[in-house]
Amino acid sequence: MSALLSVAGVSKRFRGLLAVGNVSLDVMERDIFAIIGPNGAGKTTLFNTICGVFRPDGGTIAFAGERIDGHPPDEVCRLGIGRTFQLVRPFPGLSVLDNVIIGALLHHRSVEDARARAEEVLRRLDLFNQRHQRAASLTLPDRKRLEVARALATQPRLLLLDEVMAGLRPTEVDRMVAIMTELNRTSGLTIVLIEHVMRAVMALATRVLVLHHGAVIAQGAPAEVVRDPQVIKSYLGAEEL
Amino acid sequence: MTRQVDALQAKPAPLGRSRFLSTLNLANIPRRGLILLAVLLALLIAAPAFTSDYLLSILILILYFAYTGQAWNVMMGFAGQLSLGHALYVGIGAYMTAALFIHFGTPPWIGLLVSVPIAMAAGAVIGFLAFRFRVAGTYFAILTIAFAEFARIGFDHWDWVGASSGLFLPVATYTQNDLWHLRGRPIMFYYLILAMTVLAFLLCRWLLGSRLGYFWQAVREDEDAARAVGIATFRTKMAAVVISAGLTSFAGMFYAFYYNNLFGEQVFSIGRSIEIILGPLIGGVGTLFGPVLGAFLLTGLAETLTEILGLIGVDLPGAKQVFYGFCLLLVVMVMPEGVWPWVARKLGLETRQ
Ligand SMILES: Nc1ncnc2c1ncn2[C@@H]1O[C@H](COP(=O)(O)OP(=O)(O)OP(=O)(O)O)[C@@H](O)[C@H]1O
Ligand SMILES: [Mg+2]
């Protein structure tokens, strides 16, 4: 079976800084693929390169067998890749519901259909009761959930989540993990997540990739990766195990 | 995979009549709002029966600014693209319909078939240059000024439209109103601009709640986030500019046939562009009632002020402009979202109407 997302030898520089250097990874359909690594490792930059925010300086990216590197972000989304922003970016002046309706309008011509779809997504993410609130007035965890809801509303085949668990309380993390698991099981959604919360990574991931200074230092099943001496040294630290 | 395909083939749902009407569905306006709206409309319809000619001319001016403010609001209020050169579209609309009428006797309603597309094309050129080459924010606003300035100088040297000596429509004393040729008494123009304002309001209300309207708001709120949910922002912004330009040029026809004279130097001046945006700024950018309320407040108060100054025999040139500036300052400092959101809260109406 060929990969749903295939990143091959991708590099991205910012002036002198090599933020992502020669990264390759394959995400299979229905995988939950976690990317971990210390601050500044290049995780978000890698996401942005996949989503079309940056054009890679080298390498190729393919989604469902089609080259997408260099495609603009809106086109990448239309092909079926949804994303969240690490620094959340809801449409601040609009209501929670309108935020999600906008996502749903990608594949719905009629606003009524989009509204129905959006309400369904909001129920799923426990945001339904806040639907008439302005997005700017939400708490940070709720805004993170709103990011997920808006991305989900576009009906992606692949969802890229950038630290959506950060700042959540343990019970909220568990709830989010449950939601992701359910989405993955019932709708066959493929997920790539950047995450520092190891509790969530261990609960969710089928594969883990570790990035350090822009390079892949380990990749494999979660249990193996966390035992890798280099990973422990550069990222996890002995005490976390 | 199948899920994806399903989604992509989502029914093309044409925006037919029934959908249009159902979107206009007034059910989601609170009852109090509807009553208020009905009373206001009734008053405006009845107004000519008990107002003087002078008062009627002020009402016409107010409605003119309500209309152009609404048209400008599509671009800035809905889609977040600041135009400081909307006099360009008024001017194109005015000059084209007037020149065709003068040279060929073309009725203005037919002239619109020429003037509106030209204004839309002008908007498209500005939009294309700006959005293609990533000219945004302040620079975009400056670009819109630049185009209005080009037009000002161009029309001032263009003999076919009278160049700097002006373009004049033939005027007579009218006993009858000829709506087809827009020759008649002020009352005809009053009802025309009233109808235009009401229609523009309904059109904008429909647009704001449409798919395109949602995309506009997404772009206005956060363009990168909009792209991340698949919105083709270039096309979305182009639509806002072109629609706003077309609507605004309509007001140009009104302007030309109501005032009967056009001077490029005035019609395209920055001052005219600024006048258009003051109403929505004060009433509430991005709201539907803001431009209307702003026009009433600003023009209404400014004319009252002029009247009072006249009565007490004070002649202050520029008093109106100073007054505008003062109003703007006050609103920016006290209620930066404009007066309408505040009024709406006081009346217990939804804020985003
Ligand atoms: N737009 C940019 N311009 C210049 N440098 C950038 C830009 N974005 C990121 N960088 C740099 O690239 C490196 C990788 O940043 P990136 O945000 O990808 O890290 P990260 O792994 O997501 O970190 P974190 O866990 O803190 O989110 C950092 O050194 C960062 O300063
Ligand atoms: Mg990051």
Side-chain angles (χ1 to χ4, degrees), chain B residues 39-344:
Chain B
V39 170
L40 183 67
L41 194 59
L43 277 178
L44 285 172
I45 290 172
F50 47 82
T51 53
S52 64
D53 285 354
Y54 170 70
L55 211 54
L56 195 67
S57 73
I58 291 179
L59 280 177
I60 290 176
L61 199 61
I62 289 174
L63 289 172
Y64 172 80
F65 283 123
Y67 178 91
T68 49
Q70 195 76 262
W72 173 84
N73 198 38
V74 168
M75 207 168 132
M76 176 62 194
F78 296 178
Q81 307 302 311
L82 176 59
S83 165
L84 294 179
H86 255 50
L88 171 67
Y89 311 120
V90 175
I92 291 174
Y95 265 105
M96 288 301 123
T97 47
L100 289 172
F101 182 74
I102 292 164
H103 293 300
F104 311 112
T106 315
W109 300 100
I110 301 297
L112 282 178
L113 298 177
V114 178
S115 64
V116 173
I118 292 179
M120 289 170 113
V125 170
I126 297 175
F128 180 84
L129 288 176
F131 307 144
R132 178 73 183 69
F133 300 105
R134 310 262 153 94
V135 179
T138 319
Y139 297 102
F140 175 73
I142 291 172
L143 188 73
T144 62
I145 296 176
F147 270 83
E149 286 292 288
F150 285 147
R152 183 174 65 83
I153 295 160
F155 276 77
D156 215 44
H157 290 85
W158 188 10
D159 289 330
W160 191 66
V161 298
S164 58
S165 45
L167 190 64
F168 299 90
L169 278 85
V171 191
T173 311
Y174 297 103
T175 49
Q176 276 187 332
N177 294 318
D178 177 356
L179 191 58
W180 180 242
H181 292 97
L182 285 188
R183 302 286 76 196
R185 303 206 324 269
I187 191 164
M188 177 186 74
F189 287 96
Y190 174 75
Y191 281 114
L192 173 63
I193 192 73
L194 179 59
M196 282 168 62
T197 307
V198 170
L199 287 176
F201 180 90
L202 291 176
L203 177 71
C204 288
R205 183 177 154 75
W206 172 69
L207 280 171
L208 193 60
S210 72
R211 188 168 189 253
L212 180 60
Y214 273 99
F215 289 173
W216 281 341
Q217 294 175 76
V219 167
R220 177 192 72 198
E221 294 289 313
D222 187 331
E223 199 168 334
D224 290 331
R227 299 191 87 193
V229 291
I231 297 173
T233 52
F234 177 81
R235 252 191 290 160
T236 304
K237 289 188 286 185
M238 284 297 273
V241 181
V242 169
I243 292 173
S244 178
L247 272 175
T248 308
S249 70
F250 220 97
M253 171 191 78
F254 178 88
Y255 183 97
F257 284 76
Y258 178 60
Y259 287 110
N260 298 308
N261 61 74
L262 296 172
F263 294 91
E265 196 59 48
Q266 295 169 7
V267 174
F268 293 100
S269 73
I270 293 185
R272 286 293 161 80
S273 294
I274 301 292
E275 276 176 2
I276 291 176
I277 77 174
L278 286 174
L281 277 186
I282 285 176
V285 177
T287 66
L288 288 166
F289 285 102
V292 182
L293 181 64
F296 270 92
L297 283 178
L298 205 61
T299 312
L301 290 177
E303 292 304 326
T304 313
L305 182 76
T306 316
E307 191 71 346
I308 291 171
L309 287 180
L311 281 177
I312 57 176
V314 183
D315 182 27
L316 283 177
K320 208 194 277 185
Q321 278 68 25
V322 173
F323 175 73
Y324 285 164
F326 176 75
C327 286
L328 199 58
L329 196 69
L330 194 73
V331 166
V332 166
M333 283 169 52
V334 181
M335 29 184 129
E337 291 203 322
V339 179
W340 171 251
W342 177 81
V343 171

Side-chain angles (χ1 to χ4, degrees), chain A residues 14 17 19 37-46 54 86 162-163 196:
Chain A
F14 294 113
L17 178 84
N39 292 114
K43 304 179 298 289
T44 299
T45 306
L46 177 62
F54 302 132
Q86 181 177 357
D162 197 346
E163 297 196 24
H196 283 295

Side-chain angles (χ1 to χ4, degrees), chain A residues 127-138:
Chain A
L127 276 173
F128 191 72
N129 294 332
Q130 284 105 303
R131 69 192 180 284
H132 295 307
Q133 252 171 275
R134 263 168 70 112
S137 73
L138 293 181

